């Protein structure tokens, strides 16, 4: 039993992150085809540059850190900190999977209105139903839950650093998107923002 748990904790976190990153890339590409334009694109402001760099760094860093963990790296930056029970780490992996599911469902609810970054033109309508009636940012919420779960599952300095950088990127991006949506949708977005919380 312990050997099976060890294998799950060794391979599971890297698989969760890799599958999520690949799925989001494919979903964004599919949306770009559906709208006949780019669904991916960050603005040129310093804040958007910061968000783009942090998102890219956390994805690359997280994949590298979890990949090296899977390979059994003994580096102090990669190895999980001592003292965390396997049951706690499994709970972290379960949280990561739950965050992954939330991300997929919330992204699917957006359909062709899905965007990464700040687009040149706003989507044709706000998405305010389903999960978006409970949180204004369920996709980011799912990804943050996944990042938190991965930190618990693999509490290494590298994974912790990536999760913190990802949280900062999300905070910057969410506030930039709020300003963009308010400019684009005016009173409709103001009413939505008043009715639904930013997170939960």
């Amino acid at each position: 039993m312990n050997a099976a748990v060890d294998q799950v904790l060794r391979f599971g976190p890297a698989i969760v992150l890799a599958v999520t990153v690949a799925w989001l890339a494919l979903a964004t590409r599919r949306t770009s085809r559906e709208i006949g334009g780019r669904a991916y694109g960050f603005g040129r402001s310093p804040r958007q540059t910061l968000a783009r760099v942090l998102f890219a760094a956390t994805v690359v860093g997280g994949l590298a850190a979890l990949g090296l963990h899977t390979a059994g790296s003994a580096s102090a930056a990669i190895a999980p900190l001592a003292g965390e029970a396997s049951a706690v780490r499994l709970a972290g992996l379960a949280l990561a999977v739950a965050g992954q599911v939330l991300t997929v469902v919330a992204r699917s609810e957006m359909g062709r209105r899905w965007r990464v970054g700040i687009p040149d033109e706003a989507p044709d309508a706000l998405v305010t139903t389903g999960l978006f009636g409970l949180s204004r940012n369920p996709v980011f919420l799912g990804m943050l839950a996944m990042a938190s779960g991965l930190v618990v599952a693999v509490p290494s300095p590298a994974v912790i650093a990536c999760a913190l950088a990802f949280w900062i990127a999300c905070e910057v991006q969410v506030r930039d998107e709020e300003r963009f949506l308010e400019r684009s949708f005016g009173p409709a977005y103001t009413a939505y923002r008043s009715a639904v919380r930013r997170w939960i």
Side-chain angles (χ1 to χ4, degrees):
M1 181 65 173
N2 286 342
V5 169
D6 288 345
Q7 291 295 91
V8 168
L9 290 173
R10 180 178 176 184
F11 292 97
I15 290 170
V16 168
L17 182 57
V19 167
T20 304
V21 169
W23 180 82
L24 285 170
L26 290 172
T28 303
R29 181 176 297 179
R30 183 172 62 246
T31 302
S32 294
R33 284 197 306 269
E34 289 174 356
I35 66 174
R38 293 182 62 208
Y40 178 94
F42 288 83
R44 296 180 181 173
S45 71
R47 289 173 56 87
Q48 280 291 284
T49 299
L50 173 64
R52 179 177 52 80
V53 168
L54 285 176
F55 280 131
T58 56
V59 169
V60 172
L63 288 171
L66 293 176
L68 289 169
H69 166 72
T70 299
S73 172
S75 166
I78 302 301
L81 302 173
E84 193 169 73
S86 293
V88 174
R89 294 180 63 198
L90 282 172
L93 184 58
L95 175 60
V97 171
Q100 179 186 50
V101 171
L102 176 57
T103 300
V104 169
V105 172
R107 154 56 189 99
S108 298
E109 286 188 358
M110 291 192 77
R112 58 181 284 117
R113 296 179 179 102
W114 164 255
R115 301 293 186 274
V116 177
I118 302 295
D120 294 330
E121 296 181 7
D124 57 356
L126 283 170
V127 179
T128 60
T129 58
L131 291 171
F132 289 86
L134 304 173
S135 167
R136 298 200 310 266
N137 297 284
V139 176
F140 280 129
L141 189 61
M143 290 191 285
L144 286 168
M146 185 174 64
S148 300
L150 292 175
V151 165
V152 176
V154 185
S156 70
V159 174
I160 293 168
C162 286
L164 287 173
F166 185 76
W167 172 70
I168 292 169
C170 287
E171 289 286 348
V172 171
Q173 187 62 30
V174 161
R175 284 160 175 75
D176 282 3
E177 287 183 3
E178 287 175 350
R179 285 189 285 271
F180 172 77
L181 292 171
E182 188 166 21
R183 288 194 308 269
S184 300
F185 295 104
Y189 180 73
T190 301
Y192 173 59
R193 187 177 62 191
S194 297
V196 179
R197 292 177 181 269
R198 175 181 285 154
W199 296 112
I200 52 174

